[in-house]
Amino acid sequence: MNIHEYQAKEIFKKYNVPTPNGYIAFSEEEAVQNAQKLGGNIWVVKAQIHAGGRGLGGGVKLARSLAEVRTLASEILGMTLVTHQTGSAGKLVHKVYIEEGVDIADELYLGIALDRAKEMPVIIASREGGMEIEKVAHTSPDKIIKIAIDPFIGFQPYHGRELAFGLGLAKEEMSSFIQFASNLYKAYIEKDAELIEINPLVKTKSGNFVALDGKIGFDDNALFRHPEIEAMRDLTEENLAEREASQHGLSYVKLDGNVGCMVNGAGLAMGTMDTINHLGGTPANFLDVGGSANAQTVATGFKIILKDHNVKSIFVNIFGGIVRCDRIANGILEATKLVNVDVPVIVRLDGTNAVEAAEILKNANIKNIIIATDLNDGAKKAVAAANGDIL
Ligand code: GDP
Ligand code: MN
């Protein structure tokens, strides 16, 4: 689960990770009030969406008067912000964060991510803050410092010194930077985060380190331990279909292609997507209906897949192990009565009672249900149908 920058900064504050003061606003009126509350004479108006690159997209602007706060807030609120992370459709801005302006001397990068190969959190730092870290990693990997932290040892001062030396910090900057990184690591561990990213982490002209931006992603499997994080969930930022799927116990991830996939088991689902790709098609989604596929789950699966208007065919690829294929076949027929499926459905059922299943589907004689003999045949037919070929 991801949260907004302003929420990440609330967490930073609790862990003594310095950030500028700011308040969230839902209207231009509130934006101006927030600026007045903050005082000073320079403010930053920041669009709050779950995507980075807002600055380049025009979602982060400096205001030098209260009148300018009002103008910028009214421009940014309600805009559809397009960044390299939102896709071309962009994201509608519902709220802006009004923050006190900071005098920037230097922009650094600091992040913590989970390294699954090392089985440890890794702190990532770079002098090249404010830029896309992926680009820096690609063009000049030497400018990126990575330090794995054994969770049983935790963050130690020597980790901090290694980071500070790597960043080329001056002697008198060391201790406040090490405290900053140590506090951030504590937040990462205690909140069961998967990723924390501060880009930029700025050195102010008065010599302090401040998190100017903040992004946190949490481990969904640990959310039950953190009701205060769960309460930060912003449903308007999440994909509707993905949400509905998870409420029904289905794992669904929307993708950009046009071949809908309904599969049992995550491994088979990935194999199915690979096969579709291999045959020149593009999967519209990942969908694992789980081990207990029945008429109800299949119907829900159809409903969720068809919410995506890019879908031009659906490939049902189910292996009957414990579930029997004949029951799935009946489930599919039942489901087509519950949901109006208006695209070709290619069905490959293999395993227990596959022969009976094929018989059931054939006898039902439904025009847009096409039987496939194996995975390859099914994927081929699904790709062809998505391309508009008559099968
Ligand atoms: P992102 O583009 O979504 O990553 O949003 P950021 O929060 O990183 O803001 C983009 C850029 O705006 C930063 O890299 C800064 O250069 C600039 N910026 C943000 N806040 C301030 C501020 O208080 N003062 C100044 N001078 N620049 C700021
Ligand atoms: Mn940023």
Side-chain angles (χ1 to χ4, degrees):
M1 186 190 115
N2 293 322
I3 57 173
H4 288 289
E5 172 197 6
Y6 78 95
Q7 297 167 319
K9 286 177 169 173
E10 280 170 22
I11 295 176
F12 290 169
K13 285 201 179 94
K14 291 208 177 95
Y15 283 87
N16 292 319
V17 172
T19 78
N21 292 316
Y23 300 103
I24 192 74
F26 293 84
S27 66
E28 49 181 276
E29 205 48 55
E30 227 180 325
V32 175
Q33 285 165 10
N34 289 352
Q36 275 169 325
K37 239 191 304 184
L38 287 166
N41 49 21
I42 184 152
W43 301 271
V44 190
V45 182
K46 309 186 80 175
Q48 298 296 292
I49 55 167
H50 284 189
R54 295 164 302 165
L56 288 175
V60 178
K61 296 250 169 86
L62 241 51
R64 290 187 171 77
S65 67
L66 290 175
E68 213 179 344
V69 169
R70 181 183 296 277
T71 323
L72 291 173
S74 79
E75 275 168 25
I76 295 174
L77 283 166
M79 86 186 276
T80 301
L81 187 51
V82 179
T83 81
H84 65 278
Q85 289 184 2
T86 60
S88 55
K91 279 199 159 165
L92 189 62
V93 181
H94 298 284
K95 43 192 170 278
V96 288
Y97 192 46
I98 309 299
E99 207 172 55
E100 59 189 6
V102 172
D103 270 338
I104 302 176
D106 202 2
E107 301 198 347
L108 310 171
Y109 174 97
L110 186 66
I112 309 179
L114 183 66
D115 186 325
R116 288 169 200 277
K118 288 200 172 82
E119 301 176 354
M120 290 182 199
V122 174
I123 301 189
I124 304 159
S126 173
R127 291 198 65 110
E128 307 284 322
M131 302 181 42
E132 285 171 56
I133 198 71
E134 298 86 351
K135 260 186 208 153
V136 181
H138 189 67
T139 54
S140 34
D142 51 299
K143 289 195 176 137
I144 294 193
I145 307 141
K146 285 190 197 164
I147 296 175
I149 310 288
D150 184 331
F152 290 106
I153 295 169
F155 185 93
Q156 299 296 327
Y158 67 85
H159 292 127
R161 284 194 292 276
E162 206 177 327
L163 286 169
F165 284 131
L167 289 170
L169 298 183
K171 226 182 197 159
E172 62 276 12
E173 294 168 339
M174 293 259 178
S175 73
S176 70
F177 176 80
I178 294 171
Q179 197 56 55
F180 187 109
S182 168
N183 293 350
L184 193 69
Y185 181 81
K186 188 160 190 273
Y188 181 89
I189 295 295
E190 288 187 4
K191 294 294 182 189
D192 288 307
E194 272 179 350
L195 173 83
I196 296 190
E197 199 173 39
I198 298 178
N199 190 24
L201 158 59
V202 305
K203 211 161 37 174
T204 64
K205 289 194 175 136
S206 42
N208 300 313
F209 292 100
V210 178
L212 209 63
D213 193 5
K215 172 181 176 152
I216 310 184
F218 299 92
D219 179 354
D220 287 351
N221 294 314
L223 279 179
F224 73 96
R225 300 204 281 219
H226 306 287
E228 79 289 1
I229 305 282
E230 181 79 59
M232 291 182 165
R233 181 160 230 144
D234 183 349
L235 294 175
T236 61
E237 290 286 331
E238 297 184 13
N239 183 290
L240 270 169
E242 290 183 8
R243 219 166 77 206
E244 188 178 343
S246 80
Q247 280 160 357
H248 288 91
L250 307 178
S251 324
Y252 170 86
V253 180
K254 187 189 154 358
L255 301 167
D256 293 331
N258 59 7
V259 181
C261 305
M262 186 168 355
V263 189
N264 66 334
L268 186 59
M270 288 195 277
T272 305
M273 289 160 55
D274 283 350
T275 310
I276 290 168
N277 263 316
H278 181 67
L279 294 170
T282 46
N285 65 277
F286 168 97
L287 175 60
D288 175 8
V289 294
S292 58
N294 56 40
Q296 198 50 56
T297 48
V298 172
T300 310
F302 278 140
K303 229 191 283 174
I304 286 164
I305 290 175
L306 289 168
K307 274 190 203 290
D308 176 357
H309 296 294
N310 293 332
V311 170
K312 295 289 179 287
S313 70
I314 297 177
F315 182 20
V316 179
N317 184 20
I318 291 190
F319 184 81
I322 296 168
V323 282
R324 288 173 9 215
C325 291
D326 53 326
R327 292 190 58 180
I328 302 283
N330 283 319
I332 293 170
L333 297 179
E334 192 99 346
T336 56
K337 284 180 209 149
L338 298 170
V339 185
N340 174 31
V341 184
D342 53 0
V343 297
V345 178
I346 292 81
V347 183
R348 178 250 180 169
L349 295 170
D350 208 346
T352 314
N353 292 0
V355 179
E356 290 85 339
E359 204 62 30
I360 290 167
L361 291 177
K362 210 157 67 198
N363 291 339
N365 197 21
I366 296 178
K367 202 176 84 237
N368 64 337
I369 293 187
I370 296 138
I371 300 167
T373 50
D374 58 29
L375 169 59
N376 217 53
D377 179 52
K380 216 183 276 175
K381 286 176 172 158
V383 172
N387 288 338
D389 297 353
I390 309 290
L391 299 177

